[in-house]
Amino acid sequence: MKRGKQAILAAAALLLVITGCSSKGDAGSSATDKPKEKVSIEVWANSRHDLEVRESLIKKFNETNPDNIEINYKIFADNYEEQLKLALNAGNLPDLAYNISADLANADYPLDLNPLITDDIRNRFDESALTVLPTAKNGELDRVFENVTTFKLVYNKDLFKASGLDPEKPPTTWKEMQEYAKQITASGGGQKFGLGLPVKQTVFWRYYVIHPAAVSGDNNGREGWNAVTGQYDFAPFGKYVKWWIDVNKEGSVFPGAGTYDNDMIRAQFAEGNIGMLSAATWDIGVFNDQFPAKNDWAVADFPTWDGEALGGPAFETGNGFSINKKTKHLEEAKKVWEFLISDEMFVELAKKGLGSFTNAAAQDKAIQPTDRKGVEGFLIDDQSVSYPMAPRLDYSVVNPPLKVGSQDVNKAGVVNDIMNALFMSNQELPEIEKKLQELGDAFNQLAKANVEAGTVDLSKYEKTDFKPLKP
């Protein structure tokens, strides 16, 4: 009986094979032979400058990916935050979003990407790209930071040459920079000046003091935060503020410091009227497109205070795509995310000179566009350092706000306002140091109040082993 049953089953199986072979893919085909249904993945971003490159690669992806995924890429350049809020309230958020707001992070939008970070991804990106934000819950990673912003000195080689300076030798110390500025101004006939200082927008004290101070070892974190000690300390910046007061008194700064903004001073540099400025990665586009420079200019590291490099050139990372953890198409969304962080994507963006990136392939100098002057100088290198983030404080936990002189300590940017007030009033070094010490004391008091209120965990911002200079 057993042997007979096996014979019947074998015959039935043979009949199925014969029937299947004779169907020739017509109505008898199995369901697994049907093409996969197209899955649309919606991606939102607020970056328009790179749209041409991204759309071209997305078109290629939509036409060639084997999973029948179609990316629907939407740009909201002017009202991105508003659109994200509306979508959040309506429960209609996109499958992926670029540069998500704090509102979305707090609303539990982003998928934790840690499980998706393979060894291959770690090898393809600088370690700063995979930094978990201190504000992230449970060490979750909500994006791979893709953009790099570096901070450098740009200088006019033509003015150097006209002033008797070697155009291939930018200043290496602040004293030397002061001497160069004097020399350029002296030979400028009242039209050309050694330096510019666009502190009508007081935020630019970050770019003219805090970032430049990094190479001298005067930073162990951002915005005056010392991640090694777990305290705020603005005192190291006093000598730089005094330096700016001195060079301005000497007439080496473009006249009217405090009355012009960054666009005004960059336009003067482009016209050839200023010898040296602080600049950031985005100024590549400024001096090539917005205010095309009429002079031969170059990029250099900031000078050190006394000739000894005790820190690496500062850079910051930002932006990146997050995955909606509640997406209805999680596996497809992951594949789209992998495509958006592919080497091909970043290499094509780099070829067009559309930024500097944490992606290793896009850091290759050979692929940078030759017609985009300044690109190579702003690339991160082995000595570049991403300095630890400052705590995100809630200033309302101390009410009324603490004061330094007449200034309320009610926002992170108060450090810039105080530096500006010290500069505009031509203070001497003891008074500058006194005010910056008071500012540090106020911020440490505010940080303590945040800890007691449960609004910040300072331990997440401490890096006791941080070294500002790489071995």
Side-chain angles (χ1 to χ4, degrees):
M1 288 289 293
K2 187 175 182 181
R3 188 177 294 122
K5 186 176 181 181
Q6 288 175 337
I8 293 170
L9 290 172
L14 179 60
L15 180 62
L16 284 171
V17 170
I18 293 170
T19 305
C21 290
S22 66
S23 68
K24 296 182 180 179
D26 294 331
S29 295
S30 67
T32 57
D33 293 331
K34 292 180 181 177
K36 290 183 67 174
E37 185 178 344
K38 188 178 290 294
V39 175
S40 179
I41 297 296
E42 196 157 298
V43 181
W44 288 12
N46 62 342
S47 177
R48 191 182 294 279
H49 76 285
D50 54 11
L51 182 59
E52 183 179 351
V53 169
R54 290 196 189 271
E55 281 193 331
S56 174
L57 291 174
I58 287 169
K59 182 175 184 292
K60 176 182 172 184
F61 175 89
N62 286 345
E63 293 171 349
T64 61
N65 80 85
D67 301 293
N68 211 13
I69 299 170
E70 183 174 68
I71 298 174
N72 182 12
Y73 191 69
K74 294 183 177 179
I75 294 292
F76 301 92
D78 301 321
N79 59 345
Y80 187 55
E81 294 286 330
E82 181 183 341
Q83 290 298 322
L84 286 174
K85 280 186 179 180
L86 289 172
L88 175 62
N89 293 335
N92 192 30
L93 287 163
D95 300 288
L96 290 94
Y98 187 68
N99 194 23
I100 64 169
S101 63
D103 286 339
L104 261 64
N106 295 335
D108 209 26
Y109 170 90
L111 179 76
D112 180 17
L113 300 177
N114 278 310
L116 307 185
I117 305 301
T118 62
D119 288 341
D120 173 63
I121 291 175
R122 292 188 186 281
N123 290 334
R124 288 172 40 227
F125 287 87
D126 184 83
E127 63 180 0
S128 62
L130 305 175
T131 301
V132 175
L133 291 171
T135 50
K137 64 177 184 179
N138 304 321
E140 292 185 358
L141 180 70
D142 67 9
R143 75 200 82 181
V144 172
F145 289 109
E146 59 181 51
N147 293 109
V148 174
T149 302
T150 50
F151 307 94
K152 297 293 183 80
L153 181 77
V154 294
Y155 67 100
N156 182 332
K157 296 173 74 173
D158 293 340
L159 271 187
F160 269 49
K161 189 181 295 185
S163 306
L165 298 168
D166 187 337
E168 305 305 323
K169 293 184 177 179
T172 58
T173 67
W174 284 68
K175 181 174 176 54
E176 196 171 49
M177 184 162 61
Q178 184 172 6
E179 292 167 353
Y180 282 22
K182 266 188 190 178
Q183 198 162 327
I184 291 168
T185 304
S187 62
Q191 302 297 315
K192 317 286 184 183
F193 298 86
L195 299 156
L197 185 64
V199 291
K200 180 180 181 181
Q201 298 163 280
T202 62
V203 67
F204 279 94
W205 283 106
R206 291 182 66 219
Y207 303 90
Y208 283 80
V209 166
I210 296 177
H211 290 312
V215 292
S216 301
D218 287 320
N219 280 0
N220 277 318
R222 303 182 194 178
E223 313 301 335
W225 169 249
N226 187 326
V228 176
T229 63
Q231 296 278 307
Y232 281 92
D233 183 10
F234 301 98
F237 305 131
K239 60 190 177 186
Y240 300 95
V241 176
K242 181 62 167 65
W243 185 92
W244 278 108
I245 290 171
D246 290 344
V247 294
N248 190 50
K249 283 181 177 178
E250 291 168 355
S252 298
V253 179
F254 193 85
T259 64
Y260 46 76
D261 60 24
N262 200 36
D263 269 359
M264 294 166 67
I265 208 63
R266 290 185 297 187
Q268 291 294 337
F269 180 85
E271 287 294 322
N273 296 328
I274 293 174
M276 295 171 282
L277 283 183
S278 176
T281 305
W282 53 74
D283 288 313
I284 297 169
V286 171
F287 295 128
N288 281 281
D289 306 317
Q290 184 180 354
F291 303 124
K294 299 176 182 178
N295 58 82
D296 185 15
W297 59 281
V299 183
D301 285 338
F302 290 116
T304 61
W305 186 254
D306 56 10
E308 185 179 6
L310 297 174
F315 75 94
E316 294 178 358
T317 54
N319 301 327
F321 287 95
S322 301
I323 300 175
N324 183 353
K325 67 173 10 175
K326 297 176 183 175
T327 175
K328 296 176 182 177
H329 306 287
L330 183 57
E331 292 308 311
E332 289 83 0
K334 288 178 182 177
K335 289 176 180 178
V336 170
W337 174 78
E338 289 170 355
F339 157 71
L340 291 170
I341 66 164
S342 65
D343 286 355
E344 180 185 24
M345 177 67 72
F346 291 115
V347 166
E348 290 304 309
L349 290 168
K351 280 181 180 178
K352 294 290 186 180
L354 294 172
S356 187
F357 303 96
T358 57
N359 177 265
Q363 281 294 320
D364 185 352
K365 296 179 183 179
I367 68 173
Q368 301 299 325
T370 55
D371 62 340
R372 301 291 286 176
K373 192 173 181 65
V375 166
E376 186 172 324
F378 280 99
L379 293 174
I380 60 174
D381 59 28
D382 291 341
Q383 290 304 305
S384 300
V385 175
S386 178
Y387 288 79
M389 294 181 180
R392 182 182 290 177
L393 300 177
D394 181 349
Y395 294 86
S396 69
V397 299
V398 176
N399 190 27
L402 302 167
K403 285 185 176 292
V404 174
S406 61
Q407 299 266 9
D408 285 344
V409 180
N410 59 359
K411 58 181 180 177
V414 69
V415 59
N416 304 311
D417 297 340
I418 285 177
M419 286 183 181
N420 204 55
L422 292 167
F423 171 79
M424 297 302 290
S425 58
N426 292 312
Q427 295 294 330
E428 295 299 325
L429 187 58
E431 178 62 19
I432 294 170
E433 290 177 335
K434 177 175 177 288
K435 280 289 185 288
L436 292 179
Q437 180 64 49
E438 290 175 6
L439 182 65
D441 292 342
F443 264 84
N444 287 322
Q445 188 175 337
L446 180 63
K448 183 179 178 183
N450 270 257
V451 171
E452 292 171 349
T455 56
V456 72
D457 181 354
L458 287 184
S459 67
K460 290 185 176 181
Y461 296 88
E462 294 172 0
K463 291 186 70 174
T464 56
D465 58 349
F466 173 72
K467 304 291 184 187
L469 189 65
K470 294 183 178 178

